[in-house]
Amino acid sequence: MSYSVDELYRFNETDGGYSVKEYLKGADPSVTEPEIPEKWKGKPVTVIAPGAFEAAMYLKRVKLPRSIKTLCYRAFADCWNLESAEFEPGAEIEFESDVFTGCDKLPAETLAIGLLRSANLTAAFEKGHCPALWIFDMDSPDKASEVFEILAKNNCYRETTTNDLELILGAFIGINNIKALPIAEKYGLLEYAELVNSLLAKAIESERTEITAYLLDYKNRKFGFNGGDKFEL
C-alpha cells in the first residue's frame, strides 16, 4: 500500500524550508522504506526533527535527500529493524547526539558517522555524559568494537581525559569485550599506568579472566611492575 507524503509525515516550517516533525507510519508493517521528500510545498526539507522517526519498529531502510542538513536529537533512535541509512554523496549533514541510538542493525560505519559528526566528545564529557556509551548495549559486541575502532582511528579520543577513557574502556570490560583493548593499545589510549591499573582492578573485580591476563601482559610490556625488572607471567 502506498501513501501520500501528507499521510506519511507531519512538517514544521523552518527558516527557508521545512522539517520532518513526525513520521506517522512507524507502526505500519506495510511501510518499510518510506521516501523522505526533498521538497514540500515548493520549499526544501532540511531537518529531521528530534525523535521524528523514534521507535519506528518497521523501518528498514531510509534514504536522506541532499536537502537534509540536520538530524536532530534521537531522530532515528530505537528503530530496531533499521538496516540502512543512505546519505547522498557529498552531503554535509549536522548530527546532534543519539541520532542512531538503539539502531543495532545499522552497519558500524553508519553508526560511527553519527558519532563522528555529532558534538565534540570532550565537550559532551564535560556535560556529564558520553554520547558513545550506548554502543556498549548493542546485541553485537563485535559491532561495538568496530564502532569504537572507527572512532579511535579518527582521533575522537585524542583529548579525552584518563577518567573518561576509564569510563569508556571500563564499559567494555563490564560486557566482557576484550577486543576493545588491543584497539585502545593500537591507537595510543593506554599510555598511562594509572589508567591501566584502574582497568586492571575492574577486570579482576569483575572476574574477567581473559581481560585480566591481557592487561597484566600489557602492563608488563609497557611499564614493568616495580619500575625495574619485568615480571614474567
Side-chain angles (χ1 to χ4, degrees):
M1 182 177 183
S2 61
Y3 294 96
S4 68
V5 171
D6 289 342
E7 290 174 312
L8 288 172
Y9 307 106
R10 287 197 180 100
F11 296 90
N12 270 354
E13 195 163 4
T14 61
D15 292 339
Y18 289 93
S19 69
V20 176
K21 178 184 178 181
E22 184 182 3
Y23 172 57
L24 302 174
K25 298 298 179 182
D28 188 337
S30 71
V31 187
T32 60
E33 302 180 34
E35 182 177 351
I36 299 175
E38 189 164 359
K39 291 185 176 182
W40 192 67
K41 293 186 176 180
K43 294 181 180 180
V45 177
T46 59
V47 176
I48 306 296
F53 286 81
E54 186 169 354
M57 66 180 74
Y58 294 106
L59 186 66
K60 287 189 176 181
R61 296 176 184 81
V62 64
K63 185 174 182 179
L64 296 164
R66 183 177 293 273
S67 60
I68 298 294
K69 302 300 181 185
T70 304
L71 297 179
C72 295
Y73 174 69
R74 295 184 65 85
F76 292 94
D78 295 334
C79 291
W80 308 290
N81 290 305
L82 183 60
E83 299 172 354
S84 172
E86 296 182 28
F87 310 98
E88 290 284 351
E92 295 184 3
I93 301 175
E94 176 189 351
F95 285 70
E96 294 185 357
S97 63
D98 297 334
V99 168
F100 293 124
T101 296
C103 300
D104 292 4
K105 290 187 178 181
L106 282 176
E109 294 80 3
T110 304
L111 295 169
I113 286 172
L115 292 167
L116 288 168
R117 296 190 186 179
S118 66
N120 179 274
L121 292 180
T122 301
F125 278 125
E126 291 172 353
K127 295 177 182 177
H129 72 282
C130 173
L133 280 180
W134 55 266
I135 69 173
F136 308 117
D137 295 327
M138 290 180 177
D139 292 335
S140 169
D142 288 344
K143 187 174 292 185
S145 301
E146 291 175 29
V147 174
F148 176 67
E149 180 159 21
I150 294 170
L151 296 176
K153 184 177 181 180
N154 284 273
N155 298 315
C156 280
Y157 305 111
R158 176 181 290 175
E159 298 180 7
T160 304
T161 67
T162 54
N163 286 340
D164 293 333
L165 285 173
E166 183 179 347
L167 176 67
I168 295 166
L169 296 171
F172 274 115
I173 292 172
I175 63 171
N176 202 22
N177 187 330
I178 193 173
K179 292 185 177 181
L181 294 175
I183 294 169
E185 179 180 352
K186 178 180 179 180
Y187 293 101
L189 302 181
L190 295 176
E191 296 297 303
Y192 299 99
E194 179 182 359
L195 171 61
V196 175
N197 284 333
S198 295
L199 295 174
L200 182 56
K202 182 175 179 64
I204 292 171
E205 181 183 5
S206 304
E207 299 182 346
R208 305 307 193 195
T209 305
E210 188 178 7
I211 292 175
T212 297
Y214 180 93
L215 288 169
L216 282 171
D217 176 67
Y218 177 79
K219 182 177 179 179
N220 183 39
R221 290 185 285 110
K222 181 70 176 179
F223 306 109
F225 278 80
N226 297 309
D229 294 336
K230 297 293 183 73
F231 181 80
E232 295 296 331
L233 294 174

